[in-house]
Structure formats: C-alpha cells, structure tokens
C-alpha cells in the first residue's frame, strides 16, 4: 500500500473512528441501563459508518484496510484503543475524543479534498450528539454520588496523558475550553498538562491494539480470500 | 433503592402532524429522558420532534366512566354533515 | 416461543361475574383491552408473565449474538449485526414498557429474571461457536420469532399488540440479513460451507423447541386462546415454520439433521422426526450449555451499572432541591 499524505490523513481519521467504535460496541449487552445500550450502540454505529466512508475515500478496499493491516499500520490515536474500563472511563473518553473530532471535522468541512467535506457534513451532526450525550452523562457522574465522582475523576486522570496527540493539528486551547466548561458543571478537574503519550499516528501503539485487532481480524485472516 | 422515573414518549413524524404516543423510557431526569427517547424511538427516521412527559403527570379518564362520558355524543347526529340534505344539482358543499 | 415457558398453570378460575362476561364479550368482538380497563386477575398475571418473558428473551438474546460483534468479518456485517443486536435491546425495552402499563415496574421484572423467578426462551442458552451461527440465528431463530410475533400484533391487549407491530416492522431485516450470511457461506469455500452445515446441525432442533411443548402437553393454552393472547397453537406455528424453512435450507444446499424429515404429499406438509423434549425441559430448568453464563452476564451488567443509575438519580435529586 502506497501511503500518500492524503491516505495517511484519511487513515488517521478512519482508524480513530473504527477503533473507538469497536470499543464502544463491546458494551453491547453489558451497559448500565437498557436505554444506554441503545445510546452506546448508536454512537458505535455512527463511528463505524464514518470509518467506512473515510476508508472508501482512500480508493482502497475498506475491508482490506480494516482487516488485513498489522497494528503498526494503524494510524489511530492511542486513547481510542484503550480498554473500556468502567462507564465513567468510557464516557470521559467519549467527551475528550468527540470534542477533538468536532474541531478536526470543522477543518475538514472546508478542505478542498474531493471527499472530506461531504463526509464531514454527515460526521459533524453525529459528533455533536456524541458530545452532548457524553457531556450530560459526565455532569451527572461527576456531580452524582461520592463513588461516581471518584470514578469520573480517576478516569480523567488516567486519560489525560493520552490527550496530547488528540489535539495535534487542532487548537488545543479551543478544545480545552470546551472540556473545561463541562468539567466545571461536573465538579471535576483535569490534571495539568505534563508528559504526554504519543506515537499512534506513526503506528507505535499500546499493547492493547494487538489484542483488539487479533479479535477483530480473526475471520478474514484465518480464511484468506474468502467472501463474507 | 429508588426506581428510575418513567417517561411517556411522543414523536412528531413530520411537520404538519401531531405528536403521537410511541412508548416509554426510564431516565433520572428530563434531559436524559429526551436523549433516551431519541436513541430508542427515532433510529429509523421516525421523527423530527420529541416530547417526553413524566408518566405520573398524565391524568386519564376512568374507563368505567366511558359510557357516561362518550355515549351521549352518539345521538347527536346533527353534528355531522351527512345529517343534512342538499339537492344533487347544488353540487359539492 | 419467546414466552415458551409459560405453562399457563393458573388457568382462569371460572369467573362468573358480570364484569368477566362483558370482558370476554369485548374480546370476542375483537375489541382491544387497554391498561386501565377492568380485566380478570388471571389475564393480568398471564400477560405480565408472557410480556416480561418475551422482554427477557430479547435482552438475554443480545448475548449470544453480541458474542460476535467484535469478530464480524467485514465492516458491512459488523454494522448490520450491531444494529440488529441493538434492535433486540430496543424490543426488550418496548416490551418492558408494555408490561409496565399493567402496574409492575421494570426494576421488579428485571429482579424476577436475575433471581430465576422468570424464564426466557431456551434458545438463548445455546452457544454461538462460529460466524455461521450468527447467520443461522437470523435465518431460523428470528424466522421462528416472526412466525410467533405476527399473530401477536393482533393480541387482545393493546399495549402488547402495539409493541409487537413496532417489533415486527423493525425485525423484517433480521431474518434477511441472517439468510444472506448463510447463503454467502454456503456458496463460499469448503470451510465456510462446513461452518454453515455445522451451525444448522446444532440449531435446527433447538429452534423447533422454541415453539414450546406439543399441544397435547399444554392443556391450558385454550385459556390464552380464548383471551386472544395467543392465536395459534404451538404445533400449528411449528409446522408453519418447518414448511417455510425446509425449502429455504434445501436452496442453500444444506442438509437438515433429521433422517426422518420428509414431504408428505397427502397433507402438503413437511414432517419432522421426534423432538427430544427431555432436552427442552432440561435446558428450560437451567441445565443448558450457557444458562449460568447468560444469567451471570446479566447480573454483572446490573451490578456494574448500579452506581451509574444511583449517580443519575442523585444528580436529579440535587437539581430538584436547587430548583425548589
């Protein structure tokens, strides 16, 4: 695969959406309420749909990209591949990632790429709801009980070092402003920006991605050339 | 432990139509009830507008009053246009 | 079916009151019964049990298929499967809503499931071992469910009938996506075809059991028929299912795991061999391959979600105090 700068850019966006969508789909059957089962599945379906549109925009077969690349060829940010943790972790990550994605899609909407503006038009509506849903939940978890507050704060503390690469290429202060507005209502705080994890865009991932892909890719990998 | 409140959900399929009752959801508050209603009841383009109403806010007529409340109207056929005769030559009225 | 465990043990005690007579007259006239209407206690109990068992089946049914969401072999299949399992959650929710109109809270119904007091369909206690199981479940399990659910759209209890109309409309894609998966496998590599055959071998008999015990064993189902909660007998629905699916299986080039399966020219029906009802009773009683796992998974989701539900309620209470 010849990874032109355009393909590399598209893969970054697509892999973020696919891997995060995959993680959210793992909640199916295990969410804290029945209503939230449907909400998380909706968000996962949005993200998988965005990933497909972006893979298709590369002109390469979408399933080859999703199922036949090795971990080091994936371009997603590390935060997307971290295991789900508890519901607070999942919701906090969704807010951090979706808020960044919103800013990235804003730029994509006005790019002169042949496909991106149309995909952005669809994705931006979806992401706006993801932000709304995640923010409203985080406000409730942060402000709810002692336990939910503690879990939410722990989640933010654990996630923060992964937010560095999330804002590469977008305005971090705009991102931070949007996050802080939610955290204030949630009575939560974020750690100061310090050392940040990185490497996802260059294919250097956490240990988790290999396991995720081993599971996701097992059928196409063990039946080469088969149609599904 | 307290049960999570129940909300009745009403969907407007498109502008020009009234909101129609479609079912219920559980949610701790109105904001989350609206989101749940969106996620549960509008997954196939069913609506453009949503109402959620606390189930316990609905006041219903008593079914045993049905005859008292709704039977008397049955004899008032003069409220319907077909009660009146207009010659055919006059045309549609 | 999804409420197959319903043995209608409490047949209506002969109620000779005038209310009961006018209730039955309304049912006979195909009128719908609405939640606030007078109804016999046994009708209410039967409905709560049937609707909630149906709801539990949808919710537990998310687990065997959910098992393959993360391994769906293409992005198209992944999206379709996730949407389908999500639908099942939605259908469980619609059904709990319908049951709640009868005056029982969802929390109570869920508690009945988790404590083993309420049953769910035996079919979901079987494991999904290969991708072909996902296709086979869509084709056969959803096919069986649809056979049962279409008549329920005319059930005498309004909220149940309305929920079923919504469910049937949404479910129309489930069986087709399942059959498409099996068809793709049946036309695929030898390994894929073997996968499809193995899935049919494992699912066929449990699917026939989904319709519940033979009519000769369910002596009280006439009460449900009289109340128009049920409109066809177990055996009638099972036969309809066999007649519909056997030719579909032959089109796939698959063999049914029943040496006695044959077409009876005289009746125009496919006749199957003897169903092993001891397996059905065993699985329903708790000793199936996955009974314990399924309930444990539901219990874990319930326990892990407790702090979330409490947090949402605590926040709502704080907001209300602020507003007051």
């Amino acid at each position: 695969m010849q990874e032109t700068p355009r393909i590399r850019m598209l893969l970054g966006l697509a892999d973020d959406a696919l891997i995060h969508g995959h993680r959210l789909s793992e909640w199916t059957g295990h969410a804290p309420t029945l209503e939230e089962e449907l909400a998380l599945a909706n968000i996962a379906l949005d993200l998988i749909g965005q990933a497909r549109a972006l893979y298709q925009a590369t002109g390469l077969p979408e399933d080859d990209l999703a199922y036949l690349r090795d971990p080091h060829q994936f371009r997603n940010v590390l935060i997307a591949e971290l295991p789900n943790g508890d519901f607070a972790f999942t919701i906090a990550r969704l807010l951090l990632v979706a808020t960044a994605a919103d800013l990235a899609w804003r730029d994509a909407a006005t790019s002169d790429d042949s496909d991106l503006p149309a995909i952005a038009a669809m994705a931006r509506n979806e992401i706006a709801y993801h932000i709304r849903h995640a923010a409203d939940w985080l406000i409730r978890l942060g402000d709810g009980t002692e336990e939910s507050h503690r879990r939410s704060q722990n989640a933010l503390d654990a996630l923060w070092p992964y937010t560095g690469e999330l804002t590469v290429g977008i305005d971090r202060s705009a991102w931070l402003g949007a996050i802080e507005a939610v955290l204030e209502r949630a009575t939560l705080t974020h750690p100061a920006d310090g050392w940040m994890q990185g490497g996802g865009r260059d294919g250097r991932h956490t240990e988790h991605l290999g396991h995720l892909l081993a599971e996701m890719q097992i059928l196409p990998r063990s039946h080469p050339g088969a149609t599904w | 432990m307290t049960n999570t409140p129940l909300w009745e959900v009403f969907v407007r399929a498109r502008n020009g139509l009234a909101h129609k009752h479609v079912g219920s959801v559980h949610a701790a508050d109105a904001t989350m009830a609206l989101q749940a209603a969106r996620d549960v009841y509008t997954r196939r383009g069913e609506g453009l507008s949503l109402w959620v109403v606390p189930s316990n806010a609905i006041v219903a007529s008593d079914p045993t009053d049905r005859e008292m409340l709704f039977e008397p109207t049955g004899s008032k056929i003069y409220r319907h246009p077909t009660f009146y005769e207009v010659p055919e030559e006059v045309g549609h009225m | 079916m999804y409420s197959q465990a319903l043995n209608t043990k409490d047949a209506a005690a002969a109620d000779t009151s005038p209310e009961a007579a006018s209730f039955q007259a309304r049912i006979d006239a195909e009128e719908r019964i609405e939640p606030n209407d007078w109804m016999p206690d046994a009708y209410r109990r039967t409905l709560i049990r049937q609707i909630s068992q149906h709801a539990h089946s949808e919710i537990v049914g998310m687990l065997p298929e959910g098992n393959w969401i993360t391994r769906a072999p293409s992005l198209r299949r992944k999206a379709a499967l996730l949407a389908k399992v999500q639908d099942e959650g939605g259908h469980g929710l619609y059904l709990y809503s319908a049951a709640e109109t009868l005056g029982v809270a969802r929390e109570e119904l869920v508690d009945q499931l988790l404590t083993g007091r309420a049953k769910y369909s035996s079919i979901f206690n079987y494991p999904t071992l290969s991708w072909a199981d996902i296709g086979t479940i869509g084709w056969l399990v959803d096919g069986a469910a649809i056979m049962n659910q279409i008549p329920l759209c005319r059930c005498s209890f309004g909220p149940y009938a309305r929920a079923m109309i919504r469910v049937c409309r949404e479910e129309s894609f489930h069986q087709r996506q399942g059959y498409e998966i099996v068809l793709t496998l049946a036309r695929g590599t030898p390994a894929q075809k073997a996968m499809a055959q193995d899935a049919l071998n494992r699912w066929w008999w449990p699917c026939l059991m989904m319709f519940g015990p033979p009519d000769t064993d369910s002596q009280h189902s006439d009460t449900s028929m009289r109340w128009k909660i049920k409109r066809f007998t177990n055996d009638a629905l099972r036969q309809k299912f066999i007649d519909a699916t056997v030719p579909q299986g032959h089109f796939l080039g698959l063999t049914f795991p029943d040496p006695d399966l044959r077409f009876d020219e005289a009746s125009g029906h496919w006749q199957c061999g003897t169903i092993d009802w001891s397996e059905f009773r065993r699985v329903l009683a708790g000793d199936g391959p996955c009974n314990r796992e399924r309930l444990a998974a539901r219990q874990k989701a319930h326990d892990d979600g407790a702090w979330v539900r409490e947090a949402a309620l605590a926040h709502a209470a704080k907001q209300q105090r602020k507003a007051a």
Side-chain angles (χ1 to χ4, degrees), chain A residues 29-44:
Chain A
H30 312 284
T33 70
L34 195 40
E35 282 75 4
E36 196 56 22
E37 289 280 359
L38 277 88
L40 292 172
N42 274 340
I43 296 170

Side-chain angles (χ1 to χ4, degrees), chain C residues 1-8 46-47 49-55 57 119-122 148 152 160 210-213 229-230 234 280 284:
Chain C
M1 176 52 58
Y2 278 15
S3 49
Q4 66 196 169
L6 191 66
N7 297 319
T8 49
T46 303
L47 274 172
R49 199 164 37 171
Q50 176 164 338
I51 299 171
S52 63
Q53 286 182 7
H54 196 159
S57 297
K119 301 282 185 213
Y120 55 88
S121 178
S122 58
N148 180 56
L152 282 174
Y160 193 20
M210 280 179 71
F211 294 89
I229 293 173
K230 188 172 177 176
N234 295 351
F280 171 72
L284 207 57

Side-chain angles (χ1 to χ4, degrees), chain C:
Chain C
M1 176 52 58
Y2 278 15
S3 49
Q4 66 196 169
L6 191 66
N7 297 319
T8 49
K9 272 182 200 131
D10 46 19
D15 188 342
T16 52
S17 66
E19 289 94 340
S22 86
F23 174 82
Q24 188 61 47
R26 289 181 63 192
I27 292 207
D28 293 343
E30 293 291 332
E31 261 189 59
R32 293 288 180 271
I33 306 302
E34 294 297 340
N36 293 336
D37 291 346
W38 186 91
M39 62 185 79
D41 282 344
Y43 178 84
R44 182 185 301 273
R45 276 201 307 277
T46 303
L47 274 172
I48 290 175
R49 199 164 37 171
Q50 176 164 338
I51 299 171
S52 63
Q53 286 182 7
H54 196 159
H56 300 328
S57 297
E58 298 281 358
I59 300 306
V60 177
M62 296 173 78
L63 298 170
E65 288 180 281
N67 182 35
W68 281 89
I69 290 173
T70 53
R71 289 177 290 170
S74 73
L75 295 180
R76 177 173 177 268
R77 295 283 182 222
K78 194 183 194 69
L81 180 60
L82 179 51
K84 175 183 190 280
V85 178
Q86 182 196 41
D87 273 350
E88 278 151 18
H91 299 169
L93 197 151
Y94 306 157
L95 287 159
Y96 283 129
S97 288
E100 289 189 275
T101 65
L102 289 160
V104 50
R106 189 198 294 175
E107 283 85 349
E108 162 63 16
L109 297 172
V110 169
D111 188 59
Q112 288 176 4
L113 171 70
L114 297 179
T115 53
R117 283 176 292 147
K119 301 282 185 213
Y120 55 88
S121 178
S122 58
I123 197 76
F124 302 119
N125 290 315
Y126 291 88
T128 50
L129 303 179
S130 81
W131 173 249
D133 290 32
I134 298 308
T136 307
I137 287 178
W139 168 37
L140 294 178
V141 175
D142 289 276
I146 288 166
M147 293 249 147
N148 180 56
Q149 288 171 346
I150 286 174
L152 282 174
C153 295
R154 295 186 294 127
C155 161
S156 62
F157 185 58
Y160 193 20
R162 290 193 287 276
M164 291 319 301
I165 288 170
R166 205 177 175 89
V167 167
C168 287
R169 198 170 54 217
E170 296 189 353
E171 252 185 23
S172 51
F173 96 83
H174 293 186
Q175 195 184 12
R176 289 171 67 97
Q177 70 94 32
Y179 194 75
E180 192 191 273
I181 289 172
V182 186
L183 185 64
T184 307
L185 295 174
R187 290 177 175 170
T189 65
Q192 286 177 306
K193 190 165 181 183
M195 206 185 271
Q197 182 62 55
D198 174 60
L200 180 60
N201 293 349
R202 284 180 288 110
W203 288 95
W204 176 247
W205 290 108
C207 281
L208 296 186
M209 295 173 196
M210 280 179 71
F211 294 89
D215 296 344
T216 44
D217 289 6
S218 46
Q219 56 273 56
H220 295 305
S221 74
D222 53 337
T223 311
S224 285
M225 299 278 268
R226 188 158 55 78
W227 281 336
K228 296 190 179 162
I229 293 173
K230 188 172 177 176
R231 287 183 179 259
F232 295 97
T233 68
N234 295 351
D235 286 339
L237 286 170
R238 184 165 20 244
Q239 186 61 53
K240 222 172 143 191
F241 172 77
I242 294 170
D243 288 339
T245 50
V246 168
Q248 291 165 358
H250 290 157
F251 180 82
L252 295 167
L254 299 178
T255 311
F256 287 85
D258 177 1
D260 298 325
L261 185 71
R262 63 178 188 89
F263 188 72
D264 180 55
E265 294 286 349
S267 65
H269 291 297
W270 284 91
Q271 289 189 340
C272 66
T274 313
I275 297 171
D276 178 5
W277 290 111
S278 66
E279 173 180 328
F280 171 72
R281 284 189 295 272
R282 178 170 55 74
V283 173
L284 207 57
D287 290 334
C290 301
N291 295 55
R292 290 166 183 81
E293 274 174 59
R294 300 287 186 247
L295 267 191
R298 286 314 308 159
Q299 183 73 57
K300 183 172 187 319
H302 186 75
D303 294 346
D304 289 352
W307 68 268
V308 177
R309 298 188 298 273
E310 282 161 19
L313 287 169
H315 173 78
K318 285 184 196 174
Q319 292 299 111
Q320 271 177 2
R321 274 199 300 277
K322 267 188 213 164

Side-chain angles (χ1 to χ4, degrees), chain A residues 24-226:
Chain A
L24 287 169
S25 79
E26 291 174 356
W27 274 100
T28 309
H30 312 284
T33 70
L34 195 40
E35 282 75 4
E36 196 56 22
E37 289 280 359
L38 277 88
L40 292 172
N42 274 340
I43 296 170
L45 284 167
D46 286 344
L47 291 173
I48 291 168
Q50 290 170 17
R52 293 185 66 186
L54 289 158
Y55 286 142
Q56 287 161 13
T58 65
L60 299 164
E62 59 171 16
D63 286 332
D64 288 1
L65 291 171
Y67 291 92
L68 301 180
R69 280 183 300 155
D70 289 329
H72 73 270
Q73 295 171 298
F74 273 75
R75 300 286 172 215
N76 59 283
V77 288
L78 304 181
I79 194 171
E81 72 203 39
L82 298 177
N84 281 329
D86 62 10
F87 185 67
F89 190 91
T90 292
I91 286 295
R93 166 170 56 190
L94 179 59
L95 180 71
L96 300 176
V97 173
T99 304
D102 179 53
L103 294 168
W105 281 115
R106 237 179 253 190
D107 295 342
T110 55
S111 84
D112 51 11
D113 187 87
S114 52
D115 298 280
L116 265 186
I119 303 172
M122 166 191 83
R124 287 192 63 196
N125 284 332
E126 294 172 345
I127 299 279
Y129 185 76
H130 303 174
I131 295 172
R132 167 88 59 99
H133 190 71
D136 281 332
W137 259 122
L138 195 62
I139 288 163
R140 280 152 184 77
L141 299 180
D143 176 61
T145 63
E146 224 171 277
E147 179 180 7
S148 68
H149 181 88
R150 174 175 54 75
R151 285 174 180 270
S152 307
Q153 191 58 59
N154 287 348
L156 281 167
D157 295 348
L159 285 162
W160 206 255
Y162 291 93
T163 63
E165 58 176 358
L166 207 46
T167 52
V168 171
I170 58 170
D171 178 0
R172 185 167 176 93
S173 62
W175 175 82
L176 198 57
I179 298 295
E180 282 173 346
V182 177
L183 295 189
E184 191 187 333
R185 292 182 60 200
T187 69
L188 296 165
T189 57
H190 65 81
D193 282 359
W195 173 77
M196 291 285 176
Q197 296 271 7
R201 297 279 185 235
D202 299 320
R204 283 199 317 279
H205 289 276
T206 66
E207 291 176 343
H208 306 295
L209 185 66
H211 293 281
L212 184 154
L213 293 181
E215 183 175 344
M216 187 173 93
Q217 299 179 335
I218 183 166
L219 281 171
R221 294 273 195 172
S222 51
H223 299 263

